[in-house]
Amino acid sequence: MIPYGKQLISAADIEAVTDVLQSDYLTQGAQVPAFENAIAQQCDAQFAVAVNSATSALHIACLALGLKQGDWVWTSPNTFVATANCARYCGAEVDFVDIDPQTYNLSVDALTEKLVLAETTGKLPKIVIPVHFAGQPCDMKAIHALSQRYGFAIIEDAAHAIGAQYQDQAVGNCQYSDITVFSFHPVKIITTAEGGVATTNQPGLAEKMQLFRSHGVTREPHLMQDCPSVDEERGAWFYQQVDLGFNYRMTELQAALGLSQLTRLDAFIEKRHQLAQTYHQALKGCPLILPFQAEGNRSSYHLFPIQVMSESISRHQLFDRLRANGLGVNVHYIPVHTQPYYQQQGFRVGDFPVAEAYYQKAISIPLHQGMTIADQTTVIEAIKESLI
Ligand SMILES: *Cc1c(COP(=O)(O)O)cnc(C)c1O
């Protein structure tokens, strides 16, 4: 099968992981800080906090920004459920903003309209989470301008977008956001098996995320609180739990794999662009809508989502035929508000019509750095034959 996305593991990756296995530290050693430094450098951000998944990163990002019961988080319905769930973990309410029909990202026009209305009802969001869908950066400048006007924080969900550029700057530099979150699940651009990272330029947010990642426990004297203790003196053993945190730590094995993978990020993105360009050329003229690329940005091409506009074959039929041909096509995304859990929160089919219409036509076709020219020819021929 040719999957829609897959990791590419080298001999150097394997060596990096086995070296850690033979070392003294499987967790809490030098690899995680080294990986964090490398990600911060890659993204041109001041701080990076590595955790065991992007889902955990989203959770601690919300906690660091003080999200709590009664607050609202707004995001795109065209995303993985984790983007919305992080708000629910904090007891906050979720609402969605419909997508732009061209980029499939959260629509700035829809966001503007919704903010105007929310101001009158007193239900402005505390956090907005734009998602760089398929690796295509959102219009961050416009969203940031709205955040200044309406006073919300911004977490970029860049699970798809490590290596992408927004206006010639690395996604993750947090120029127009408070925190950016990346995923290193194997289908994403680079992998740590499971894993994620949050970048920020704000020392206070980095400190809080570090606390929440590890039980709310600190050994830093400046983070400790004055409270009665049984000790007259505090020895080197001393730590304090100053908040309620979790164990969301990344292991040394994961960080070593990530460090090794990161050295090939540029090559991976370049390969994805070559594959995307070939798809654009080969599928031009077919009854399909191919992904739009905004000028001035560089997508990481995590996905290559097409919309099936044929009158002779439906999306469902094409999907089944491609699967029968051994192609691991997929659909991104079932709109989050239509999931039973979110229907229980009061959302209904029809609430976000642009995301729903896009979903009904969408197929993600195979695109990953391990694909050969022969693999891609197989995909192109299978699609073209099915569309005749
Ligand atoms: C994969 C993904 C996540 C969750 O990432 P994990 O590392 O699997 O927790 C969140 N948001 C988006 C948009 C994703 O694609």
Side-chain angles (χ1 to χ4, degrees):
M1 195 179 72
I2 304 173
Y4 81 89
K6 191 189 170 189
Q7 73 278 9
L8 183 62
I9 300 296
S10 69
D13 292 341
I14 293 167
E15 198 181 318
V17 174
T18 51
D19 282 353
V20 170
L21 273 172
Q22 291 167 319
S23 76
D24 288 340
Y25 293 97
L26 302 185
T27 187
Q28 295 176 287
Q31 297 291 321
V32 167
F35 182 51
E36 290 174 332
N37 283 338
I39 291 284
Q41 199 162 22
Q42 155 66 33
C43 296
D44 214 359
Q46 284 191 42
F47 306 97
V49 180
V51 286
N52 57 1
S53 71
T55 304
S56 301
L58 285 163
H59 185 191
I60 61 172
C62 287
L63 289 171
L65 288 165
L67 190 73
K68 56 187 188 318
Q69 200 171 356
D71 293 332
W72 286 86
V73 171
W74 292 4
T75 189
S76 167
N78 184 34
T79 187
F80 186 56
V81 294
T83 319
N85 290 347
C86 61
R88 302 293 300 145
Y89 298 154
C90 302
E93 303 296 322
V94 176
D95 204 349
F96 299 94
V97 179
D98 211 346
I99 62 169
D100 178 288
Q102 199 165 36
T103 62
Y104 317 142
N105 281 334
L106 179 148
S107 154
V108 171
D109 288 344
L111 176 61
T112 308
E113 253 174 61
K114 203 176 172 89
L115 287 165
V116 169
L117 195 67
E119 195 171 37
T120 66
T121 58
K123 290 208 290 196
L124 283 168
K126 184 172 178 98
I127 303 174
V128 172
I129 312 183
V131 181
H132 304 308
F133 177 73
Q136 162 125 264
C138 296
D139 187 352
M140 291 311 302
K141 237 181 200 168
I143 297 167
H144 181 257
L146 289 168
S147 78
Q148 300 297 101
R149 163 74 178 79
Y150 291 97
F152 55 84
I154 300 173
I155 301 171
E156 295 173 68
D157 183 338
H160 299 182
I162 189 129
Q165 288 181 346
Y166 173 68
Q167 298 185 345
D168 299 322
Q169 311 261 342
V171 166
N173 73 352
C174 297
Q175 188 179 350
Y176 299 109
S177 66
D178 296 282
I179 296 169
T180 303
V181 166
F182 297 101
S183 171
F184 307 122
H185 182 280
V187 297
K188 309 291 162 77
I189 313 271
I190 60 167
T191 192
T192 60
E194 296 283 359
V197 80
T199 60
T200 184
N201 295 324
Q202 299 170 44
L205 291 178
E207 231 160 41
K208 282 185 181 147
M209 290 194 287
Q210 283 156 359
L211 269 179
F212 286 120
R213 152 176 80 179
S214 199
H215 309 282
V217 160
T218 185
R219 292 178 185 275
E220 301 280 339
H222 77 278
L223 293 177
M224 290 189 186
Q225 294 170 10
D226 259 341
C227 67
S229 96
V230 288
D231 302 307
E232 279 298 303
E233 289 162 47
R234 291 171 178 178
W237 66 85
F238 194 75
Y239 61 83
Q240 272 190 348
Q241 183 195 344
V242 295
D243 208 331
L244 184 62
F246 305 86
N247 181 351
Y248 282 167
R249 291 188 302 261
M250 175 179 273
T251 68
E252 292 287 287
L253 299 155
Q254 291 168 301
L257 178 55
L259 262 173
S260 181
Q261 287 258 307
L262 194 57
T263 61
R264 302 202 302 292
L265 175 62
D266 291 346
F268 288 176
I269 302 283
E270 187 51 42
K271 176 70 193 274
R272 286 171 178 273
H273 272 260
Q274 282 168 14
L275 291 164
Q277 210 179 353
T278 303
Y279 275 143
H280 272 287
Q281 280 161 3
L283 300 174
K284 192 169 51 183
C286 293
L288 301 170
I289 298 177
L290 304 177
F292 166 84
Q293 292 306 304
E295 224 165 285
N297 296 346
R298 182 169 166 84
S299 176
S300 54
Y301 270 116
H302 164 55
L303 300 172
F304 198 89
I306 60 172
Q307 286 191 78
V308 184
M309 307 308 282
S310 169
E311 287 181 0
S312 58
I313 187 168
S314 71
R315 185 278 296 267
H316 194 151
Q317 288 166 328
L318 179 60
F319 185 95
D320 287 350
R321 199 170 302 177
L322 296 175
R323 277 273 175 103
N325 275 310
L327 305 186
V329 290
N330 216 324
V331 172
H332 300 93
Y333 283 100
I334 303 168
V336 177
H337 69 282
T338 67
Q339 295 292 350
Y341 175 80
Y342 284 98
Q343 299 254 313
Q344 285 158 29
Q345 313 292 316
F347 294 100
R348 292 292 172 262
V349 170
D351 284 350
F352 302 98
V354 186
E356 292 172 24
Y358 159 72
Y359 160 63
Q360 288 182 290
K361 300 281 183 201
I363 300 181
S364 299
I365 62 176
L367 181 92
H368 52 88
Q369 47 261 12
M371 263 177 94
T372 62
I373 292 174
D375 288 339
Q376 192 172 28
T377 305
T378 303
V379 177
I380 291 165
E381 281 175 1
I383 293 171
K384 283 189 151 171
E385 276 164 22
S386 306
L387 288 171
I388 289 168

